[in-house]
Amino acid sequence: RHVEPKPGVYDWSKMDAAIRDAARGKYYYYFVLWTGPDSPEWIYEHGVPRVTTVGHKGGTTFPYYLDRNYINYFHRFIGKLADHLASLPEAERKAMAFIQPAFGSTGDRQLYKGKPKDSKYAISAQQYLEFCSGATKRFYDAFNKPELKHIKFLFNVADESDPDSGKKTKEGSDGEQLYANWLRKTYPIELRKQQFTISIGYQANGEIT
C-alpha cells in the first residue's frame, strides 16, 4: 500500500533510499514484499472483494486472492518493480542480494490468517497452487532481464514431501505442500528460507521432530 498508493502511481523512495545506503556502505540489501492484507485500500474500490476472517486475533481483512482484478493488479506491480530495479545505477543494483516474494499474510505461507466468514471465499489446495505458481512465474518472467540476473528469490516454503501422505498440520497445508513440491520441480532453488524462529523468540525450531 505504501509503494502504490494510487492505481498506477508508484513511490519507490523508501526502498531506493535503503538500496543507496547499502551500496554506499558496501552492504547488501534484501526485502520482503508484503501483499495480501497490506495491499492498497484502493483495490477494494476497483472490484476486489474484501474477505473477513474468523479464528485469528486482530480481525484482519484480506483481498480475495483468486479475483481476476487482484491478480492483474498484483502481477502488474511485480512487473513495475522489476522495471524500476533494472533502471537503477549498476552499483545500486549490485547491492540487491535477493528478494523474498510473499503472496499472502506477511512472509508466511498462509494466504489467510483464520477462516473466511463467507465460505465462498475459501481457497482449495489446487487453487492455492494455481495462485502461488502463477505469481511465481510472474516474478521469474519479470526479473528475466540482464540487469537483474544476479538477484535471487528466497522462498519460504515447506519441506519437500508427499502431499498425499496423510500428514496434515493445519488448514491449507495441502496447498502449501503442493506448491513447495511444484516450486522445486519447476525452478532451481538456489536459496531458501531457513529456520529463524530462535532469533525472533519463537523457540520452535523443529527440534522435537
Side-chain angles (χ1 to χ4, degrees), residues 103-199:
F103 302 144
S105 178
T106 67
D108 293 343
R109 295 190 289 264
Q110 304 100 313
L111 295 180
Y112 297 134
K113 290 292 182 68
K115 293 183 179 180
K117 279 186 177 180
D118 190 333
S119 61
K120 73 180 180 182
Y121 294 126
I123 295 176
S124 70
Q126 185 61 35
Q127 289 171 326
Y128 179 101
L129 170 63
E130 291 172 0
F131 173 76
C132 291
S133 62
T136 300
K137 290 175 183 176
R138 179 61 182 137
F139 264 102
Y140 275 98
D141 290 345
F143 278 74
N144 185 23
K145 303 175 184 291
E147 300 90 347
L148 306 179
K149 62 183 179 182
H150 66 288
I151 298 178
K152 303 295 188 287
F153 296 128
L154 181 149
F155 287 96
N156 181 10
V157 295
D159 292 328
E160 188 171 18
S161 68
D162 180 4
D164 298 320
S165 64
K167 181 181 178 183
K168 299 181 180 180
T169 57
K170 60 183 181 301
E171 186 76 17
S173 61
D174 287 351
E176 294 170 17
Q177 194 63 69
L178 286 171
Y179 172 63
N181 292 354
W182 172 88
L183 186 60
R184 289 189 173 86
K185 288 180 174 63
T186 308
Y187 293 103
I189 306 303
E190 300 180 62
L191 190 65
R192 65 179 290 250
K193 190 171 185 179
Q194 299 297 320
Q195 289 286 357
F196 70 112
T197 50
I198 289 179
S199 67

Side-chain angles (χ1 to χ4, degrees), residues 59-111:
T60 306
T61 59
F62 301 81
Y64 181 45
Y65 295 96
L66 306 184
D67 179 73
R68 177 47 55 186
N69 292 308
Y70 179 76
I71 292 172
N72 288 341
Y73 294 140
F74 184 28
H75 286 204
R76 180 181 71 181
F77 182 86
I78 295 169
K80 295 296 184 180
L81 172 65
D83 290 343
H84 178 73
L85 291 176
S87 73
L88 296 178
E90 182 179 8
E92 294 178 15
R93 284 188 276 111
K94 293 294 185 182
M96 284 292 309
F98 54 87
I99 295 171
Q100 181 183 339
F103 302 144
S105 178
T106 67
D108 293 343
R109 295 190 289 264
Q110 304 100 313
L111 295 180

Side-chain angles (χ1 to χ4, degrees), residues 7-20:
V9 177
Y10 302 93
D11 179 3
W12 309 103
S13 58
K14 186 175 181 181
M15 182 181 71
D16 288 351
I19 294 174
R20 283 195 300 271

